Amino acid sequence: IRTAQLAITVGSGLFDSKLATVRSLVESEGGYIAGTDAQASPTDNPENTQIRTGVISFMVPAAHFDETIDQLSRVGKVQSEHITGTDVSAQYVDLNARLANAEAQRDAMLALLKQATSINDIITVQNQIGQITAQIEQLKGQIKYLDDNTSYSSVSVSLMESGAPVQTTSDSWGFA
């Protein structure tokens, strides 16, 4: 599973066109936009213009991840780039083994259900089948999550026009 966060500075007045460039790039690489957040900050210059900043988050097919990052570096001046990767191979194998085991247990319980003769036995076996079925659905959900996150990579790009104030975080205690 690979993720990237980039901070890119673009020329003054170019924010909208560069944001459109990023959107086109995502579309051309077969990805999709997960969200955008843009805002304008007033400046102290005599023309009273505003400086635009924003974040665009998107998913891109994992096979196109490196190419997408390369193309993003041409949108403007890259101020920072953070790329991470997590190997989930062992987790994936473990989940599939647990799924196969749970499905085998369910099949055994279904065979027992056919042989059950008393109402008590039938209810007990059906309860077990219900618990195993819930476990199977949970395992399938975890496997699907891994499938989705390994086939698509997450990218977040912060775009800032030149002259934008540096984003700082502070708290109400005065400590940073």
Side-chain angles (χ1 to χ4, degrees), residues 108-153:
M109 285 294 166
L110 288 171
L112 281 176
L113 183 61
K114 289 179 182 176
Q115 297 173 1
T117 54
S118 72
I119 299 289
N120 236 5
D121 289 346
I122 292 171
I123 291 172
T124 302
V125 172
Q126 283 180 335
N127 285 339
Q128 288 293 321
I129 291 172
Q131 290 174 1
I132 293 168
T133 301
Q135 183 182 25
I136 288 170
E137 294 306 315
Q138 183 182 37
L139 290 168
K140 284 181 178 178
Q142 291 173 358
I143 290 168
K144 183 178 180 339
Y145 173 81
L146 290 179
D147 284 341
D148 291 347
N149 282 286
T150 53
S151 22
Y152 279 86
S153 297

Side-chain angles (χ1 to χ4, degrees), residues 30-110:
Y32 61 92
I33 305 292
T36 58
D37 181 21
Q39 55 274 333
S41 303
T43 63
D44 295 332
N45 63 25
E47 293 89 30
N48 200 23
T49 58
Q50 295 186 329
I51 295 177
R52 302 281 312 269
T53 61
V55 177
I56 182 167
S57 300
F58 58 90
M59 303 296 282
V60 66
H64 297 233
F65 181 79
D66 292 321
E67 182 181 337
T68 301
I69 299 302
D70 289 345
Q71 289 186 43
L72 284 170
S73 67
R74 296 183 203 117
V75 169
K77 183 175 181 183
V78 177
Q79 300 297 321
S80 67
E81 177 179 294
H82 182 70
I83 297 174
T84 59
T86 306
D87 183 6
V88 294
S89 302
Q91 183 181 1
Y92 192 82
V93 169
D94 177 59
L95 287 171
N96 277 302
R98 289 172 47 200
L99 176 62
N101 184 43
E103 288 174 336
Q105 284 180 345
R106 182 195 57 204
D107 293 344
M109 285 294 166
L110 288 171

Side-chain angles (χ1 to χ4, degrees), residues 152-165:
Y152 279 86
S153 297
S154 171
V155 180
S156 177
V157 178
S158 297
L159 288 176
M160 298 159 284
E161 283 185 328
S162 297

